[in-house]
Amino acid sequence: MSVIRQEIPDCQVKDAADQYMKALILLDKLPPMSGVLLPLINTSTIAIELYLKSLSSEVINTPKNSIGNMSVQTAKPQQVGHTLVKIFKKIPENYVAEMNKGYALIHSNDSRSFEVVLNSLEGAFKQSRYPFEEGADISKYSLNDIKNVSQFLSDYVNDLEVKEAIYGC
C-alpha cells in the first residue's frame, strides 16, 4: 500500500487560488456593463476549483540530484479535471462536514446544500471560455452563487491552520 502525504490546505495550491480570488475581487469592482462577465465567471470558477483542490492534494517530493540532497515539493490533486463535485468528494470527511455546516450557517436563506450549489456551477468554467459554442448558455449559472462560493471557500481555506495528514501507513 502506498503512503499518501497531504498538507491541508496545500499552501502551493492555496496560493494559486488566492491569486485568482484577488483577480476576481478586482474584476468585481468594475462597473456593470464593463464587458468582463466571462473573465469574472472564469476567474471565480478557477478559484473555486483550486480552493477545493487545496484540501485534497497529495504532497509530492521529487529528489533533485543536481542540488545535492534536496527535493522539489509539488502538489498532485487527487481528482484531476474541473468537475467541482468530484473534487469536493475527494476532500477528507471532517472538512466536508465543516464546509457544509459553515455554508448553511452563512447562507441560511438558501435551502440548498453546499454540494448542490457546487453542482449547479458544473460547466461554468468551460462555458465561460466557450460561450459561442452550440448549446452554451452562460445565463444558467447564478453569478450570486459563483461569487458566494468563491468567497466562502476563500474565507474557509484561509482560516485553516495547515495540518499534515498521512494515509496508507
mmCIF file of all heavy atoms in Angstrom, residues 4-14 57-64 67 69-77 162-166:
data_model
loop_
_atom_site.group_PDB
_atom_site.id
_atom_site.type_symbol
_atom_site.label_atom_id
_atom_site.label_comp_id
_atom_site.label_asym_id
_atom_site.label_seq_id
_atom_site.Cartn_x
_atom_site.Cartn_y
_atom_site.Cartn_z
ATOM 1 N N ILE A 4 0.225 8.171 1.209
ATOM 2 C CA ILE A 4 -0.175 9.468 0.666
ATOM 3 C C ILE A 4 0.013 10.504 1.767
ATOM 4 O O ILE A 4 -0.489 10.340 2.876
ATOM 5 C CB ILE A 4 -1.642 9.458 0.195
ATOM 6 C CG1 ILE A 4 -1.804 8.486 -0.969
ATOM 7 C CG2 ILE A 4 -2.101 10.853 -0.186
ATOM 8 C CD1 ILE A 4 -3.232 8.292 -1.421
ATOM 9 N N ARG A 5 0.754 11.553 1.442
ATOM 10 C CA ARG A 5 1.008 12.629 2.400
ATOM 11 C C ARG A 5 0.304 13.883 1.914
ATOM 12 O O ARG A 5 0.429 14.269 0.759
ATOM 13 C CB ARG A 5 2.506 12.876 2.533
ATOM 14 C CG ARG A 5 2.834 13.953 3.538
ATOM 15 C CD ARG A 5 4.346 14.016 3.795
ATOM 16 N NE ARG A 5 4.614 15.269 4.455
ATOM 17 C CZ ARG A 5 5.135 16.337 3.860
ATOM 18 N NH1 ARG A 5 5.489 16.302 2.609
ATOM 19 N NH2 ARG A 5 5.327 17.446 4.534
ATOM 20 N N GLN A 6 -0.447 14.490 2.810
ATOM 21 C CA GLN A 6 -1.145 15.722 2.485
ATOM 22 C C GLN A 6 -0.829 16.795 3.510
ATOM 23 O O GLN A 6 -0.587 16.498 4.671
ATOM 24 C CB GLN A 6 -2.666 15.514 2.500
ATOM 25 C CG GLN A 6 -3.203 14.662 1.399
ATOM 26 C CD GLN A 6 -4.706 14.536 1.505
ATOM 27 O OE1 GLN A 6 -5.202 13.907 2.415
ATOM 28 N NE2 GLN A 6 -5.405 15.138 0.563
ATOM 29 N N GLU A 7 -0.840 18.019 3.038
ATOM 30 C CA GLU A 7 -0.874 19.184 3.904
ATOM 31 C C GLU A 7 -2.188 19.865 3.563
ATOM 32 O O GLU A 7 -2.441 20.193 2.393
ATOM 33 C CB GLU A 7 0.314 20.107 3.646
ATOM 34 C CG GLU A 7 1.618 19.531 4.119
ATOM 35 C CD GLU A 7 2.810 20.426 3.829
ATOM 36 O OE1 GLU A 7 2.651 21.501 3.209
ATOM 37 O OE2 GLU A 7 3.917 20.042 4.221
ATOM 38 N N ILE A 8 -3.027 20.041 4.563
ATOM 39 C CA ILE A 8 -4.352 20.606 4.323
ATOM 40 C C ILE A 8 -4.477 21.919 5.075
ATOM 41 O O ILE A 8 -4.399 21.914 6.293
ATOM 42 C CB ILE A 8 -5.450 19.619 4.758
ATOM 43 C CG1 ILE A 8 -5.299 18.310 3.972
ATOM 44 C CG2 ILE A 8 -6.833 20.230 4.572
ATOM 45 C CD1 ILE A 8 -6.239 17.221 4.412
ATOM 46 N N PRO A 9 -4.648 23.030 4.383
ATOM 47 C CA PRO A 9 -4.647 23.142 2.923
ATOM 48 C C PRO A 9 -3.227 23.105 2.376
ATOM 49 O O PRO A 9 -2.281 23.493 3.064
ATOM 50 C CB PRO A 9 -5.279 24.516 2.674
ATOM 51 C CG PRO A 9 -4.934 25.321 3.887
ATOM 52 C CD PRO A 9 -4.922 24.331 5.029
ATOM 53 N N ASP A 10 -3.099 22.649 1.144
ATOM 54 C CA ASP A 10 -1.803 22.666 0.478
ATOM 55 C C ASP A 10 -1.478 24.117 0.146
ATOM 56 O O ASP A 10 -2.241 24.791 -0.552
ATOM 57 C CB ASP A 10 -1.848 21.824 -0.801
ATOM 58 C CG ASP A 10 -0.480 21.754 -1.449
ATOM 59 O OD1 ASP A 10 -0.085 22.759 -2.093
ATOM 60 O OD2 ASP A 10 0.191 20.728 -1.302
ATOM 61 N N CYS A 11 -0.363 24.603 0.670
ATOM 62 C CA CYS A 11 -0.019 26.030 0.551
ATOM 63 C C CYS A 11 0.214 26.481 -0.887
ATOM 64 O O CYS A 11 -0.131 27.608 -1.240
ATOM 65 C CB CYS A 11 1.193 26.352 1.418
ATOM 66 S SG CYS A 11 0.833 26.165 3.176
ATOM 67 N N GLN A 12 0.801 25.607 -1.712
ATOM 68 C CA GLN A 12 1.054 25.993 -3.107
ATOM 69 C C GLN A 12 -0.257 26.150 -3.883
ATOM 70 O O GLN A 12 -0.435 27.107 -4.642
ATOM 71 C CB GLN A 12 1.936 24.959 -3.806
ATOM 72 C CG GLN A 12 3.359 24.934 -3.279
ATOM 73 C CD GLN A 12 4.199 23.952 -4.053
ATOM 74 O OE1 GLN A 12 4.533 24.212 -5.200
ATOM 75 N NE2 GLN A 12 4.527 22.826 -3.439
ATOM 76 N N VAL A 13 -1.172 25.227 -3.684
ATOM 77 C CA VAL A 13 -2.456 25.287 -4.383
ATOM 78 C C VAL A 13 -3.277 26.456 -3.841
ATOM 79 O O VAL A 13 -3.911 27.189 -4.601
ATOM 80 C CB VAL A 13 -3.222 23.945 -4.255
ATOM 81 C CG1 VAL A 13 -4.537 24.007 -5.015
ATOM 82 C CG2 VAL A 13 -2.374 22.778 -4.752
ATOM 83 N N LYS A 14 -3.256 26.644 -2.531
ATOM 84 C CA LYS A 14 -3.975 27.760 -1.904
ATOM 85 C C LYS A 14 -3.458 29.100 -2.418
ATOM 86 O O LYS A 14 -4.236 30.009 -2.709
ATOM 87 C CB LYS A 14 -3.850 27.716 -0.378
ATOM 88 C CG LYS A 14 -4.642 28.812 0.328
ATOM 89 C CD LYS A 14 -4.392 28.801 1.816
ATOM 90 C CE LYS A 14 -3.466 29.831 2.320
ATOM 91 N NZ LYS A 14 -3.462 31.159 1.785
ATOM 92 N N SER A 57 -5.106 17.670 -2.131
ATOM 93 C CA SER A 57 -3.930 17.361 -2.956
ATOM 94 C C SER A 57 -2.877 16.603 -2.161
ATOM 95 O O SER A 57 -2.711 16.814 -0.963
ATOM 96 C CB SER A 57 -3.324 18.656 -3.516
ATOM 97 O OG SER A 57 -4.182 19.212 -4.473
ATOM 98 N N GLU A 58 -2.181 15.749 -2.864
ATOM 99 C CA GLU A 58 -1.087 14.978 -2.282
ATOM 100 C C GLU A 58 0.212 15.758 -2.437
ATOM 101 O O GLU A 58 0.454 16.377 -3.471
ATOM 102 C CB GLU A 58 -0.984 13.642 -3.010
ATOM 103 C CG GLU A 58 0.115 12.747 -2.519
ATOM 104 C CD GLU A 58 0.203 11.435 -3.305
ATOM 105 O OE1 GLU A 58 -0.665 11.162 -4.155
ATOM 106 O OE2 GLU A 58 1.167 10.697 -3.060
ATOM 107 N N VAL A 59 1.039 15.719 -1.410
ATOM 108 C CA VAL A 59 2.356 16.345 -1.464
ATOM 109 C C VAL A 59 3.317 15.381 -2.153
ATOM 110 O O VAL A 59 3.410 14.212 -1.784
ATOM 111 C CB VAL A 59 2.881 16.683 -0.045
ATOM 112 C CG1 VAL A 59 4.316 17.188 -0.096
ATOM 113 C CG2 VAL A 59 1.978 17.706 0.624
ATOM 114 N N ILE A 60 4.012 15.878 -3.160
ATOM 115 C CA ILE A 60 4.991 15.070 -3.901
ATOM 116 C C ILE A 60 6.372 15.707 -3.730
ATOM 117 O O ILE A 60 6.541 16.894 -3.999
ATOM 118 C CB ILE A 60 4.650 15.014 -5.414
ATOM 119 C CG1 ILE A 60 3.227 14.513 -5.645
ATOM 120 C CG2 ILE A 60 5.680 14.191 -6.177
ATOM 121 C CD1 ILE A 60 2.978 13.073 -5.273
ATOM 122 N N ASN A 61 7.324 14.917 -3.278
ATOM 123 C CA ASN A 61 8.713 15.370 -3.166
ATOM 124 C C ASN A 61 9.533 14.657 -4.239
ATOM 125 O O ASN A 61 9.615 13.432 -4.251
ATOM 126 C CB ASN A 61 9.279 15.065 -1.778
ATOM 127 C CG ASN A 61 8.695 15.980 -0.726
ATOM 128 O OD1 ASN A 61 8.794 17.187 -0.842
ATOM 129 N ND2 ASN A 61 8.054 15.407 0.279
ATOM 130 N N THR A 62 10.115 15.437 -5.128
ATOM 131 C CA THR A 62 10.912 14.885 -6.220
ATOM 132 C C THR A 62 12.379 15.230 -5.977
ATOM 133 O O THR A 62 12.752 16.414 -5.979
ATOM 134 C CB THR A 62 10.454 15.480 -7.575
ATOM 135 O OG1 THR A 62 9.051 15.257 -7.716
ATOM 136 C CG2 THR A 62 11.209 14.845 -8.725
ATOM 137 N N PRO A 63 13.210 14.216 -5.731
ATOM 138 C CA PRO A 63 14.637 14.476 -5.496
ATOM 139 C C PRO A 63 15.288 15.153 -6.698
ATOM 140 O O PRO A 63 14.993 14.822 -7.847
ATOM 141 C CB PRO A 63 15.233 13.078 -5.284
ATOM 142 C CG PRO A 63 14.080 12.193 -4.974
ATOM 143 C CD PRO A 63 12.890 12.794 -5.670
ATOM 144 N N LYS A 64 16.137 16.102 -6.409
ATOM 145 C CA LYS A 64 16.898 16.808 -7.447
ATOM 146 C C LYS A 64 18.374 16.617 -7.132
ATOM 147 O O LYS A 64 18.958 17.335 -6.336
ATOM 148 C CB LYS A 64 16.553 18.302 -7.477
ATOM 149 C CG LYS A 64 15.146 18.591 -7.942
ATOM 150 C CD LYS A 64 14.976 18.208 -9.396
ATOM 151 C CE LYS A 64 13.567 18.455 -9.859
ATOM 152 N NZ LYS A 64 13.304 17.920 -11.166
ATOM 153 N N ILE A 67 21.002 19.391 -7.089
ATOM 154 C CA ILE A 67 21.119 20.351 -5.973
ATOM 155 C C ILE A 67 21.446 19.616 -4.674
ATOM 156 O O ILE A 67 20.975 19.978 -3.616
ATOM 157 C CB ILE A 67 19.847 21.200 -5.786
ATOM 158 C CG1 ILE A 67 18.685 20.818 -6.651
ATOM 159 C CG2 ILE A 67 20.108 22.647 -5.796
ATOM 160 C CD1 ILE A 67 17.437 21.619 -6.423
ATOM 161 N N ASN A 69 21.318 17.002 -1.778
ATOM 162 C CA ASN A 69 20.380 16.111 -1.114
ATOM 163 C C ASN A 69 18.997 16.764 -0.966
ATOM 164 O O ASN A 69 18.324 16.554 0.026
ATOM 165 C CB ASN A 69 20.953 15.729 0.254
ATOM 166 C CG ASN A 69 20.412 14.404 0.733
ATOM 167 O OD1 ASN A 69 19.800 13.670 -0.028
ATOM 168 N ND2 ASN A 69 20.637 14.116 1.996
ATOM 169 N N MET A 70 18.606 17.558 -1.944
ATOM 170 C CA MET A 70 17.359 18.309 -1.835
ATOM 171 C C MET A 70 16.302 17.736 -2.777
ATOM 172 O O MET A 70 16.606 16.975 -3.684
ATOM 173 C CB MET A 70 17.602 19.779 -2.142
ATOM 174 C CG MET A 70 18.556 20.436 -1.161
ATOM 175 S SD MET A 70 18.813 22.171 -1.503
ATOM 176 C CE MET A 70 17.280 22.844 -0.943
ATOM 177 N N SER A 71 15.065 18.155 -2.541
ATOM 178 C CA SER A 71 13.979 17.759 -3.428
ATOM 179 C C SER A 71 13.064 18.959 -3.676
ATOM 180 O O SER A 71 13.077 19.930 -2.925
ATOM 181 C CB SER A 71 13.184 16.596 -2.830
ATOM 182 O OG SER A 71 12.582 16.983 -1.624
ATOM 183 N N VAL A 72 12.307 18.863 -4.737
ATOM 184 C CA VAL A 72 11.340 19.899 -5.085
ATOM 185 C C VAL A 72 9.964 19.384 -4.662
ATOM 186 O O VAL A 72 9.594 18.248 -4.996
ATOM 187 C CB VAL A 72 11.364 20.200 -6.599
ATOM 188 C CG1 VAL A 72 10.242 21.156 -6.977
ATOM 189 C CG2 VAL A 72 12.711 20.764 -7.002
ATOM 190 N N GLN A 73 9.224 20.208 -3.940
ATOM 191 C CA GLN A 73 7.905 19.812 -3.473
ATOM 192 C C GLN A 73 6.826 20.388 -4.391
ATOM 193 O O GLN A 73 6.817 21.586 -4.672
ATOM 194 C CB GLN A 73 7.672 20.283 -2.037
ATOM 195 C CG GLN A 73 6.431 19.703 -1.416
ATOM 196 C CD GLN A 73 6.296 20.097 0.033
ATOM 197 O OE1 GLN A 73 5.965 21.230 0.338
ATOM 198 N NE2 GLN A 73 6.560 19.158 0.926
ATOM 199 N N THR A 74 5.964 19.517 -4.863
ATOM 200 C CA THR A 74 4.838 19.928 -5.696
ATOM 201 C C THR A 74 3.563 19.310 -5.120
ATOM 202 O O THR A 74 3.611 18.541 -4.161
ATOM 203 C CB THR A 74 5.022 19.469 -7.162
ATOM 204 O OG1 THR A 74 5.229 18.058 -7.186
ATOM 205 C CG2 THR A 74 6.206 20.177 -7.811
ATOM 206 N N ALA A 75 2.442 19.648 -5.721
ATOM 207 C CA ALA A 75 1.160 19.108 -5.274
ATOM 208 C C ALA A 75 0.516 18.357 -6.423
ATOM 209 O O ALA A 75 0.589 18.775 -7.580
ATOM 210 C CB ALA A 75 0.259 20.235 -4.807
ATOM 211 N N LYS A 76 -0.136 17.253 -6.098
ATOM 212 C CA LYS A 76 -0.849 16.454 -7.093
ATOM 213 C C LYS A 76 -2.290 16.297 -6.625
ATOM 214 O O LYS A 76 -2.545 15.656 -5.606
ATOM 215 C CB LYS A 76 -0.191 15.081 -7.235
ATOM 216 C CG LYS A 76 -0.899 14.165 -8.197
ATOM 217 C CD LYS A 76 -0.233 12.788 -8.207
ATOM 218 C CE LYS A 76 -1.037 11.840 -9.074
ATOM 219 N NZ LYS A 76 -0.527 10.474 -8.940
ATOM 220 N N PRO A 77 -3.229 16.901 -7.349
ATOM 221 C CA PRO A 77 -4.632 16.760 -6.955
ATOM 222 C C PRO A 77 -5.073 15.297 -7.010
ATOM 223 O O PRO A 77 -4.679 14.556 -7.909
ATOM 224 C CB PRO A 77 -5.399 17.578 -7.992
ATOM 225 C CG PRO A 77 -4.382 18.388 -8.708
ATOM 226 C CD PRO A 77 -3.073 17.707 -8.549
ATOM 227 N N VAL A 162 -2.598 24.895 8.742
ATOM 228 C CA VAL A 162 -2.083 23.787 7.949
ATOM 229 C C VAL A 162 -1.861 22.575 8.854
ATOM 230 O O VAL A 162 -1.226 22.668 9.910
ATOM 231 C CB VAL A 162 -0.753 24.159 7.239
ATOM 232 C CG1 VAL A 162 -0.196 22.963 6.482
ATOM 233 C CG2 VAL A 162 -0.979 25.332 6.290
ATOM 234 N N LYS A 163 -2.419 21.454 8.414
ATOM 235 C CA LYS A 163 -2.259 20.188 9.143
ATOM 236 C C LYS A 163 -1.742 19.137 8.181
ATOM 237 O O LYS A 163 -2.135 19.088 7.020
ATOM 238 C CB LYS A 163 -3.592 19.734 9.738
ATOM 239 C CG LYS A 163 -4.083 20.629 10.848
ATOM 240 C CD LYS A 163 -5.328 20.092 11.482
ATOM 241 C CE LYS A 163 -5.769 21.056 12.560
ATOM 242 N NZ LYS A 163 -7.104 20.769 13.040
ATOM 243 N N GLU A 164 -0.868 18.294 8.698
ATOM 244 C CA GLU A 164 -0.335 17.220 7.884
ATOM 245 C C GLU A 164 -1.154 15.955 8.124
ATOM 246 O O GLU A 164 -1.519 15.646 9.268
ATOM 247 C CB GLU A 164 1.126 16.962 8.221
ATOM 248 C CG GLU A 164 1.772 15.930 7.324
ATOM 249 C CD GLU A 164 3.246 15.789 7.562
ATOM 250 O OE1 GLU A 164 3.638 15.519 8.711
ATOM 251 O OE2 GLU A 164 3.998 15.940 6.612
ATOM 252 N N ALA A 165 -1.469 15.260 7.052
ATOM 253 C CA ALA A 165 -2.190 14.002 7.140
ATOM 254 C C ALA A 165 -1.433 12.964 6.324
ATOM 255 O O ALA A 165 -0.979 13.259 5.213
ATOM 256 C CB ALA A 165 -3.610 14.164 6.615
ATOM 257 N N ILE A 166 -1.293 11.770 6.868
ATOM 258 C CA ILE A 166 -0.619 10.684 6.164
ATOM 259 C C ILE A 166 -1.568 9.488 6.155
ATOM 260 O O ILE A 166 -2.090 9.090 7.197
ATOM 261 C CB ILE A 166 0.719 10.317 6.843
ATOM 262 C CG1 ILE A 166 1.646 11.532 6.835
ATOM 263 C CG2 ILE A 166 1.374 9.120 6.138
ATOM 264 C CD1 ILE A 166 2.948 11.343 7.572
#
